[in-house]
Amino acid sequence: MISTISRRYSLDEYRAIEEKAEGRSEYRDGEIVPMAGGTLKHSRIGRNILTYFSTVMRDTQFEPINSDLRLWIPEYRRGVYPDVMIFDGEPQLNGDRLDEVLNPTLIVEVLSPSTTDYDRLSKFRMYRSIGSFSEYLLVEQDEPFVERYSKQAQGWLLSEFSGLERSISLDSVSIELAMAEIYRSVVFE
């Protein structure tokens, strides 16, 4: 049996590499994991959601942010890039870092075949360790289907939405998100 030695990186090493990198990578407690590129559908869906949130949340206390900003999850020593995050008030920076935040209220992940299980299971478990986090949207890109998890006193409640005629009530930010807005200009085969 041949054993392989994988290099572990300190958080400072990761951050220095990430600042200069052309592509993005997640930090997983010492491992640097490159992120795969997205598809046209994935990009359109993410853009649609961010554009809608930006428009309806203008002049409110809520601030939507795109996937360029890293979310640091202290309990798991992870740095990840959700597709969309919404903050209730000012985003809390991680110390003096201008590229890492700690306190999203709502997180959106657009699912890809290579990340579906990770987004649904591991990432969701890690996100739940964030005190401000109270709503999670998992958005399919190959059909109009969204899973919404909302934090309740007794645990997390799952609601499913399919079809373009439905709307999703987002309790954490007090708005309705139409499925037709999510999937605007997206062509399904």
Side-chain angles (χ1 to χ4, degrees):
M1 177 186 244
I2 299 172
S3 65
T4 59
I5 300 172
S6 62
R7 183 169 187 296
R8 309 238 352 130
Y9 294 85
S10 73
L11 185 53
D12 289 336
E13 288 173 315
Y14 161 72
R15 287 174 173 157
I17 291 167
E18 195 71 356
E19 286 175 1
K20 295 180 180 105
E22 290 189 24
R24 290 180 305 178
S25 299
E26 290 188 355
Y27 182 78
R28 299 183 186 172
D29 195 20
E31 293 180 66
I32 296 177
V33 181
M35 294 176 62
T39 64
L40 181 58
K41 283 186 209 175
H42 188 285
S43 295
R44 282 181 175 158
I45 290 167
R47 176 207 61 209
N48 291 344
I49 293 168
L50 184 65
T51 299
Y52 182 78
F53 285 160
S54 296
T55 301
V56 301
M57 293 179 180
R58 186 178 294 131
D59 302 324
T60 71
Q61 81 268 20
F62 298 109
E63 182 175 5
I65 297 288
N66 68 13
S67 61
D68 291 338
L69 191 60
R70 187 169 50 248
L71 172 61
W72 180 249
I73 308 169
E75 184 174 323
Y76 291 91
R77 294 185 44 78
R78 297 286 179 102
V80 298
Y81 293 90
D83 290 310
V84 177
M85 292 182 282
I86 296 179
F87 298 86
D88 185 353
E90 189 67 24
Q92 179 186 351
L93 296 173
N94 186 18
D96 61 355
R97 302 290 317 172
L98 300 177
D99 57 353
E100 286 181 359
V101 292
L102 299 167
N103 65 323
T105 296
L106 184 146
I107 296 174
V108 178
E109 293 287 5
V110 180
L111 299 175
S112 300
S114 63
T115 65
T116 295
D117 290 341
Y118 177 53
D119 289 338
R120 243 190 210 106
L121 303 171
S122 299
K123 258 189 177 176
F124 186 33
R125 180 173 14 95
M126 290 184 287
Y127 289 162
R128 291 191 310 256
S129 71
I130 300 168
S132 60
F133 176 61
S134 63
E135 207 155 21
Y136 191 37
L137 296 180
L138 294 167
V139 181
E140 291 285 345
Q141 62 175 305
D142 294 325
E143 64 176 307
F145 183 78
V146 175
E147 295 170 86
R148 172 187 169 260
Y149 290 89
S150 60
K151 190 174 184 177
Q152 310 289 312
Q154 67 279 12
W156 288 82
L157 176 66
L158 167 63
S159 304
E160 296 177 341
F161 301 85
S162 62
L164 295 174
E165 67 287 346
R166 307 258 333 254
S167 287
I168 304 166
S169 178
L170 300 173
D171 298 336
S172 65
V173 292
S174 302
I175 65 166
E176 292 279 323
L177 173 58
M179 295 283 283
E181 290 293 334
I182 295 171
Y183 294 102
R184 180 181 296 276
S185 302
V186 175
V187 178
F188 300 106
E189 283 112 36

